[in-house]
């Protein structure tokens, strides 16, 4: 079951508005296509002018609709959790919308033409499949919703094998809307339907990840798991489904989404390290600084990917801004933690020195100017100087993060992010005034950047389709090894046989369906026209497509004087 699409939860209201905008975009695009065709076809100057005016209206309407959709796609707060503690918001994806699909007539026709069965007898199965498709349009935002999408995805394998011959089209179009722009696309290929469902599996994982309470360890672990699985779904889509007609499923977009998910995992790992920290010693602060630098590193990569030519105009501005803000924010944090390690922890004793030296050698990207490591670690004044340089850099980066945040109208409405940025900025400022001496006459140097390092690398977890077991809805058509869309056979024929001295005159082998292995020349089977390689599909009207060898032999043995009627097909 899907969740009730009419239940007015925050998310379903969002999906409703998204669906409404998608329909309006669809309408405007049809009008635009019509106007463009007329513009090209007419030579009348007056008509051309009118059409050009109409086109400019349509284009500005489309622009407004796309902006409205972008604002919806940036409603990250709807997907966040409701806990009291402050967590930086994560970016979730909205699900792709699709149109309803009526398969009743095309599947019934194919069952009659290809399988030689009465299509009407399979109406129950076809309706069950369509109900499953209807339900997967509105999956609930939990494990049950994911299982529903997986179940439908796995059913598509059977649908493909049964009803999509390689040479002929079924004549149905699968319509899906782009997750970010709402632009409609359609294709006859079932691969588009499969890819879109896979995209929604990834998107649903992002929503589950974004709603976890990351102030607790179980919540953090669930968020990490969800974002890793989202990255896996988008990566699997990128590697297995090329040529998708919609932009959100292009290789460049999927590459960006995988990187974004990996960055969100890395951010959760940083939060986990912060949460589990029990000591406040020098080495722990250095570890925190390096974890923060690692988060900055991955967000910078996402920001570069988002500002590439093909992706830039397509990704919501609020996403690009948020990613940029996070990369500056975590860079600031890495410098702040470095300063705390240097200024708040006592200078190294002779016993601690070797371990601290070893950690500090790999701490900076380039070695800081000034005295040797040993002097630096044991001289409180030298530690304060370098700490002050790190704080100066931290404050600059905090201010940069707040400046970028202020440029985006949508992010300005996001109080949580504002709060986190301003808290971190104030904390660095107060630490700076605490260690700043009035008699400092030295010029504060430029602190080198911190070398990124993490103790938990994000994994890209590919979808595990086998975890949701499904049975073929169209099982009654017979075993797929024979009864599939790509196999052709002559119409089934019924043959009446009488038992002779040598039995019926043929030998059998194999199971489901049982095969005629040999026909004895001159026997009654040979006279009735049975051939080696024919499959037995019924005995005396009883369907035998799924029967085992022993069952068919038993049915044949139990026939009396009147003989037996068997149904066979020849490939």
């Amino acid at each position: 079951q899907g969740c009730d699409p009419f239940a007015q939860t925050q998310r379903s209201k969002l999906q409703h508005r998204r669906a409404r905008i998608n329909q309006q975009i669809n309408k405007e695009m049809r009008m635009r296509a019509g106007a463009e065709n007329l513009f090209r076809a007419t030579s009348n100057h007056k008509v051309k002018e009118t059409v050009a005016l109409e086109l400019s209206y349509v284009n500005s309407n489309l622009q407004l609709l796309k902006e409205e959709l972008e604002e919806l796609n940036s409603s990250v707060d709807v997907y966040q959790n409701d806990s009291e503690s402050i967590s930086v918001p994560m970016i979730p994806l909205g699900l792709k919308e699709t149109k309803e699909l009526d398969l009743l007539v095309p599947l019934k026709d194919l069952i009659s033409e290809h399988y030689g069965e009465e299509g009407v007898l399979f109406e129950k199965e076809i309706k069950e499949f369509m109900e499953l498709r209807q339900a997967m349009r509105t999956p609930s935002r939990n494990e049950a919703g994911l299982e529903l999408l997986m179940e439908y995805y796995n059913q598509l394998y059977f649908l493909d094998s049964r009803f999509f011959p390689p040479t002929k089209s079924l004549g149905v179009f699968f319509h899906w809307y782009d997750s970010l722009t709402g632009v409609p696309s359609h294709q006859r290929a079932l691969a588009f339907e499969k890819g879109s469902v896979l995209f929604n599996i990834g998107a649903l994982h992002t929503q589950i990840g974004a709603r976890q309470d990351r102030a607790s360890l179980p919540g953090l672990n669930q968020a990490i798991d969800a974002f890793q699985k989202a990255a896996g779904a988008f990566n699997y889509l990128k590697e297995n489904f090329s040529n998708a007609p919609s932009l959100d499923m292009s290789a460049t977009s999927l590459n960006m989404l995988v990187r974004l998910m990996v960055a969100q995992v890395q951010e959760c790992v940083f939060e986990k390290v912060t949460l589990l920290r029990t000591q406040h010693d020098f080495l722990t602060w250095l570890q925190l600084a390096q974890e923060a630098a690692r988060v900055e590193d991955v967000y910078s990569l996402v920001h570069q990917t988002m500002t590439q030519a093909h992706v830039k105009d397509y990704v919501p501005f609020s996403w690009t801004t948020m990613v940029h803000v996070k990369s500056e924010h975590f860079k600031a944090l890495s410098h702040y933690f470095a300063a705390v390690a240097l200024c708040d922890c006592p200078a190294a004793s002779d016993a601690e020195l070797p371990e601290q030296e070893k950690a500090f050698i790999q701490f900076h990207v380039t070695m800081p100017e000034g005295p040797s490591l040993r002097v630096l670690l044991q001289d409180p004044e030298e530690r304060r100087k370098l700490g002050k340089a790190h704080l100066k850099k931290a404050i600059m980066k905090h201010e940069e993060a707040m400046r970028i945040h202020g440029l985006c109208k949508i992010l300005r409405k996001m109080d949580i992010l504002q709060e986190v940025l301003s808290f971190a900025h104030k904390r660095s400022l107060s630490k700076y005034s605490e260690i700043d001496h009035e008699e400092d006459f030295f010029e504060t140097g430029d602190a080198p950047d911190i070398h990124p390092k993490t103790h938990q690398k994000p994994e890209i977890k590919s979808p595990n389709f086998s975890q949701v077991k499904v049975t073929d809805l169209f099982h009654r058509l017979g075993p797929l090894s024979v009864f599939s869309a790509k196999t052709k056979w002559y119409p089934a024929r019924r043959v009446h046989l009488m038992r002779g001295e040598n039995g019926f005159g043929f030998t059998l082998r194999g199971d489901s369906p049982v095969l005629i292995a040999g026909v004895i020349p001159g026997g009654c089977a040979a006279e009735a026209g049975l051939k080696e390689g024919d499959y037995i599909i019924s005995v005396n009207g009883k369907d035998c497509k799924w029967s085992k060898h022993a069952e068919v032999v038993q049915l044949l043995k139990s026939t009396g004087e009147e003989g037996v009627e068997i149904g066979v097909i020849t490939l």
Side-chain angles (χ1 to χ4, degrees):
Q1 290 292 304
C3 65
D4 174 12
F6 303 110
Q8 289 297 300
T9 60
Q10 281 286 4
R11 187 185 68 144
S12 67
K13 282 182 193 165
L14 199 67
Q15 292 288 73
H16 271 304
R17 283 172 62 200
R18 213 183 247 129
R20 200 194 70 243
I21 296 172
N22 281 332
Q23 283 158 0
Q24 286 172 301
I25 288 178
N26 206 354
K27 191 171 130 196
E28 294 287 344
M29 285 187 74
R30 282 205 302 271
M31 282 168 67
R32 181 167 77 177
E36 282 173 347
N37 288 341
L38 183 58
F39 189 81
R40 281 195 290 268
T42 184
S43 50
N44 183 321
H45 190 64
K46 202 96 181 133
V47 174
K48 256 190 161 52
E49 262 181 23
T50 317
V51 173
L53 187 65
E54 182 64 32
L55 267 174
S56 69
Y57 272 133
V58 170
N59 282 332
S60 65
N61 277 350
L62 267 172
Q63 194 55 40
L64 288 170
L65 285 168
K66 283 184 180 177
E67 279 170 19
E68 194 182 337
L69 191 67
E70 177 183 329
E71 192 148 348
L72 275 192
N73 284 328
S74 309
S75 311
V76 291
D77 46 334
V78 171
Y79 298 103
Q80 309 302 325
N81 67 55
D82 305 324
S83 93
E84 288 303 301
S85 63
I86 299 180
S87 295
V88 184
M90 293 289 182
I91 296 177
L93 270 97
L95 299 179
K96 283 172 80 71
E97 305 282 347
T98 178
K99 282 187 182 175
E100 277 186 32
L101 185 63
D102 190 352
L103 288 169
L104 198 59
V105 175
L107 292 192
K108 272 171 32 180
D109 288 353
L110 198 114
I111 288 171
S112 306
E113 283 168 33
H114 185 75
Y115 291 95
E117 305 260 2
E118 282 188 54
V120 180
L121 301 177
F122 287 85
E123 273 187 9
K124 181 175 161 286
E125 285 93 335
I126 299 171
K127 282 179 178 157
E128 199 177 324
F129 178 83
M130 281 160 59
E131 278 164 16
L132 179 62
R133 188 180 192 275
Q134 189 59 17
M136 75 82 210
R137 292 174 70 184
T138 55
S140 50
R141 203 163 17 128
N142 52 23
E143 206 52 48
L146 287 166
E147 280 182 12
L148 178 66
L149 286 168
M150 285 275 203
E151 183 188 344
Y152 181 69
Y153 183 89
N154 287 345
Q155 272 303 345
L156 288 176
Y157 161 78
F158 291 116
L159 193 80
D160 194 11
S161 310
R162 296 276 189 203
F163 300 113
F164 283 78
T167 49
K168 182 174 167 251
S169 156
L170 191 59
V172 283
F173 280 102
F174 299 101
H175 291 261
W176 287 86
Y177 295 93
D178 189 297
S179 156
L180 292 178
T181 60
V183 173
S185 306
H186 61 268
Q187 254 190 5
R188 282 193 169 132
L190 192 68
F192 183 41
E193 177 92 347
K194 279 185 180 170
S196 302
V197 175
L198 192 53
F199 185 96
N200 277 358
I201 290 173
L204 196 58
H205 276 303
T206 70
Q207 295 178 10
I208 291 170
R211 76 184 300 202
Q212 297 304 324
D213 175 8
R214 304 200 316 277
S216 71
L217 194 58
L220 266 174
N221 284 332
Q222 280 166 328
I224 289 173
D225 186 55
F227 290 130
Q228 288 186 150
K229 284 177 174 168
F234 296 134
N235 198 49
Y236 186 87
L237 188 55
K238 184 182 82 176
E239 288 173 0
N240 293 284
F241 293 86
S242 49
N243 310 328
S246 69
L247 257 177
D248 52 359
M249 285 157 69
S250 67
T252 43
S253 297
L254 292 168
N255 190 35
M256 177 272 293
L257 290 174
V258 172
R259 285 179 174 177
L260 173 62
M261 294 310 131
V262 167
Q264 299 197 141
V265 172
Q266 199 69 65
E267 186 178 346
C268 293
V269 169
F270 167 80
E271 292 173 336
K272 192 171 163 181
V273 174
T274 317
L275 192 69
L276 293 174
R277 184 179 52 148
T278 47
Q279 278 128 337
H280 293 275
D281 60 358
F282 181 71
L283 294 176
T284 309
W285 287 113
L286 292 192
Q287 185 201 2
L288 263 183
Q290 290 193 300
E291 286 283 357
R294 177 74 192 139
V295 181
E296 181 260 327
D297 206 32
V298 286
Y299 272 120
S300 299
L301 180 66
V302 178
H303 185 248
Q304 275 171 28
T305 318
M306 283 184 172
T307 46
Q308 282 171 355
H310 293 300
V311 190
K312 192 171 144 211
D313 303 330
Y314 168 73
V315 176
F317 178 59
S318 56
W319 285 20
T320 316
T321 312
M322 176 119 98
V323 163
H324 197 181
V325 165
K326 283 189 178 187
S327 82
E328 296 292 341
H329 171 67
F330 280 99
K331 188 164 193 137
L333 288 185
S334 71
H335 284 285
Y336 168 77
F337 292 134
V340 172
L342 289 161
C343 303
D344 286 11
C345 300
S349 65
D350 288 340
E352 294 167 332
L353 193 63
E355 196 185 3
Q356 291 201 5
E357 247 185 311
K358 189 179 160 197
F360 211 66
I361 276 176
Q362 301 164 342
F363 182 67
H364 290 100
V365 174
T366 52
M367 280 308 286
E369 291 167 9
S372 70
L373 262 189
R374 184 160 290 230
V375 174
L376 172 67
L377 289 169
Q378 292 195 303
D379 181 348
E381 184 53 25
E382 286 299 339
R383 287 171 75 122
R384 184 178 74 84
K385 272 189 192 171
L386 181 58
K388 193 173 170 186
H390 275 299
L391 275 175
K392 185 178 155 191
K393 202 155 194 181
I395 292 163
M396 275 165 55
K397 289 292 165 189
H398 283 309
E399 283 166 359
E400 181 61 3
M402 288 159 81
R403 183 189 72 78
I404 298 163
H405 176 267
L407 294 176
C408 177
K409 181 178 85 192
I410 294 167
L411 289 196
R412 282 203 301 271
K413 295 178 190 166
M414 215 177 284
D415 306 336
I416 310 174
L417 195 54
Q418 183 78 46
E419 244 174 275
V420 171
L421 297 177
S422 111
F423 167 76
H425 180 231
K426 284 179 187 144
R427 186 175 63 177
S428 291
L429 283 174
S430 77
K431 177 60 70 189
Y432 190 85
S433 59
E434 190 186 302
I435 65 160
D436 188 27
H437 295 173
E438 277 182 14
E439 61 275 14
D440 277 356
F441 290 118
F442 61 83
E443 181 68 33
T444 306
D446 187 27
D449 278 339
I450 285 121
H451 187 70
K453 188 179 172 188
T454 181
H455 80 293
Q456 184 183 341
K457 275 197 163 156
E459 276 179 69
I460 293 176
K461 291 190 174 176
S462 288
N464 175 14
F465 299 111
S466 61
Q467 73 186 44
V468 178
K469 299 276 181 275
V470 298
T471 51
D472 176 7
L473 285 175
F474 297 93
H475 176 270
R476 287 195 297 130
L477 286 171
L480 258 178
S481 56
V482 174
F483 301 92
S484 71
K486 60 173 187 284
T487 319
K488 289 198 168 85
W489 54 88
Y490 293 103
R493 53 192 205 283
R494 288 173 193 240
V495 176
H496 194 269
L497 299 178
M498 301 297 282
R499 192 194 297 275
E501 291 164 25
N502 305 341
F504 291 110
F506 60 74
T507 54
L508 302 176
R509 71 177 160 85
D511 293 322
S512 330
V514 173
L515 181 78
I516 295 178
V519 178
I520 297 162
C524 73
E527 278 170 24
L530 291 183
K531 294 190 206 60
E532 186 183 325
D534 282 355
Y535 287 103
I536 294 184
I537 58 170
S538 69
V539 174
N540 283 338
K542 182 185 185 304
D543 192 306
C544 291
K545 294 194 195 89
W546 284 97
S547 299
K548 297 268 181 278
H549 183 275
E551 292 165 359
V552 173
V553 170
Q554 193 51 46
L555 283 170
L556 291 170
K557 274 186 177 167
S558 61
T559 54
E561 308 262 314
E562 72 286 354
V564 63
E565 186 181 65
I566 62 170
V568 291
I569 56 162
T570 307
L571 291 189

